[in-house]
Amino acid sequence: MTNIGIKFNPKKFHRSQLKFHIFLTILSIFMALPIIFIFNNAFKPFTELFAYPPRFFVRKPTLENFKLLFNFSAESGIPASRYLFNSIMVTIIVIVLTLLISSSAAFALSKLEFKGKKTFNRINTLALMFVPVAVAIPRFLIIVNLGIFNTYLAHIIPLLAMPIGIFLLKQFIDQLPDELIEAAKIDGASKWRIYLTIILPLIKPPLVTVAILTFQTSWGNVEGSNIFVDREALRTLPFYMNTLVSGSGNIVAGAGMSAVAALIMFVPNLVLFIILQNKVMDSMAHTGIKN
């Protein structure tokens, strides 16, 4: 058996590729504009933030907005570090548990035979249609009945169900030959051993993609802090950032702090994607193993 991969880059440049390079360069610049704006906006003084017509690039960069954010945090009853700690802890736990649940469920739905398999597949596919807002009330009722309201579990449990993660992983595992599973069974491997030693190593690219999607969902989630938690010490960084404008009592200062907050919330997503982009591209190419 050999690994079959898809190569994105040709061995050498040819003049026939020039038109594609020009098109992709223009598209890349266009796609980078929001990122450039976020960075520029965070360093704008208030005179440029409220300038008309609005300016895209900052002319007189300043760190005043960052100072205002840190000073506001120091004056509040709960420091920003507490919100940051809550976000980091919740995000790490959600990523680990989501990868474990999604990958094991995808393996079962793809390679195992059991009663109701097709029904569960249909349910997962249908679940892709529902946005979090549509199920906010049922989630709230479940959390209250489970007795986890005002706990960290109220942040974690609602985010563990990730239909898109199961779908992506199942599509990838479907491409793996059944002969691998059969050979492992002949050697006496249990289902859990097959999952841990065969399936998981082969699905690293889609696992990375699911991890990035999970990080984005958890890192920017405000639903838990708004609905499932009313203790300030349990709320997360996105909630804190979203309350800066109204909480500061100063619209001008609040706008500057909001610009910094948008940058702080965005940078981890950008860094994570840059580090793991090769795995994401492998996942999107649907690589697998074939005889």
Side-chain angles (χ1 to χ4, degrees):
M1 298 181 185
T2 57
N3 287 328
I4 304 297
I6 296 178
K7 295 182 178 180
F8 294 94
N9 299 318
K11 293 182 179 180
K12 60 181 180 179
F13 174 78
H14 190 269
R15 284 183 297 179
S16 63
Q17 302 169 1
L18 185 60
K19 56 181 177 294
F20 297 106
H21 282 271
I22 294 174
F23 171 75
L24 291 175
T25 300
I26 296 174
L27 183 63
S28 299
I29 294 173
F30 179 76
M31 297 293 289
L33 289 179
I35 300 176
I36 297 173
F37 177 78
I38 289 176
F39 278 89
N40 276 269
N41 210 38
F43 293 93
K44 287 180 180 178
F46 73 91
T47 53
E48 293 187 34
L49 283 171
F50 292 91
Y52 185 84
R55 297 171 181 172
F56 189 87
F57 294 102
V58 57
R59 296 184 181 180
K60 297 180 180 179
T62 178
L63 295 176
E64 187 64 27
N65 295 329
F66 291 86
K67 294 178 181 178
L68 288 173
L69 176 63
F70 294 131
N71 291 337
F72 178 75
S73 170
E75 294 172 0
S76 62
I78 298 177
S81 58
R82 178 66 186 185
Y83 298 99
L84 179 62
F85 169 78
N86 292 341
S87 285
I88 293 175
M89 183 186 68
V90 169
T91 299
I92 292 175
I93 295 175
V94 168
I95 290 176
V96 173
L97 292 181
T98 298
L99 291 180
L100 178 62
I101 294 171
S102 297
S103 60
S104 58
F107 168 57
L109 293 173
S110 176
K111 296 301 183 183
L112 302 184
E113 296 297 331
F114 55 91
K115 188 176 180 180
K117 176 179 175 179
K118 292 183 179 179
T119 302
F120 283 115
N121 269 318
R122 293 192 186 100
I123 292 174
N124 186 72
T125 304
L126 289 173
L128 294 172
M129 299 187 302
F130 293 95
V131 295
V133 176
V135 294
I137 295 177
R139 281 181 174 179
F140 176 79
L141 295 176
I142 292 173
I143 286 175
V144 171
N145 290 328
L146 287 176
I148 59 174
F149 185 80
N150 264 341
T151 66
Y152 283 114
L153 290 177
H155 287 295
I156 297 170
I157 290 181
L159 299 178
L160 297 183
M162 193 175 185
I164 185 62
I166 298 176
F167 177 80
L168 288 175
L169 292 171
K170 180 185 178 299
Q171 293 300 107
F172 199 94
I173 296 175
D174 284 343
Q175 300 178 67
L176 303 180
D178 294 332
E179 289 79 1
L180 277 176
I181 310 298
E182 297 301 326
K185 289 180 179 179
I186 292 173
D187 290 338
S190 64
K191 292 183 177 66
W192 276 109
R193 186 177 179 185
I194 293 172
Y195 163 71
L196 293 172
T197 60
I198 297 177
I199 300 300
L200 282 183
L202 292 176
I203 62 172
K204 287 182 180 179
L207 277 178
V208 170
T209 302
V210 174
I212 292 176
L213 293 175
T214 305
F215 175 84
Q216 292 176 336
T217 301
S218 180
W219 181 251
N221 181 57
V222 296
E223 182 186 53
S225 295
N226 281 330
I227 304 175
F228 310 138
V229 169
D230 59 17
R231 288 177 56 191
E232 201 66 28
L234 294 179
R235 284 173 165 157
T236 55
L237 189 62
F239 174 86
Y240 173 72
M241 295 300 185
N242 285 343
T243 60
L244 288 178
V245 176
S246 59
S248 64
N250 186 326
I251 297 178
V252 175
M257 290 190 293
S258 294
V260 175
L263 178 63
I264 293 174
M265 295 303 300
F266 171 74
V267 166
N269 290 281
L270 179 64
V271 172
L272 186 66
F273 180 79
I274 291 174
I275 294 174
L276 302 175
Q277 62 178 324
N278 289 334
K279 293 292 184 180
V280 175
M281 295 304 296
D282 288 342
S283 174
M284 295 299 103
H286 298 289
T287 55
I289 296 181
K290 295 183 180 178
N291 289 322

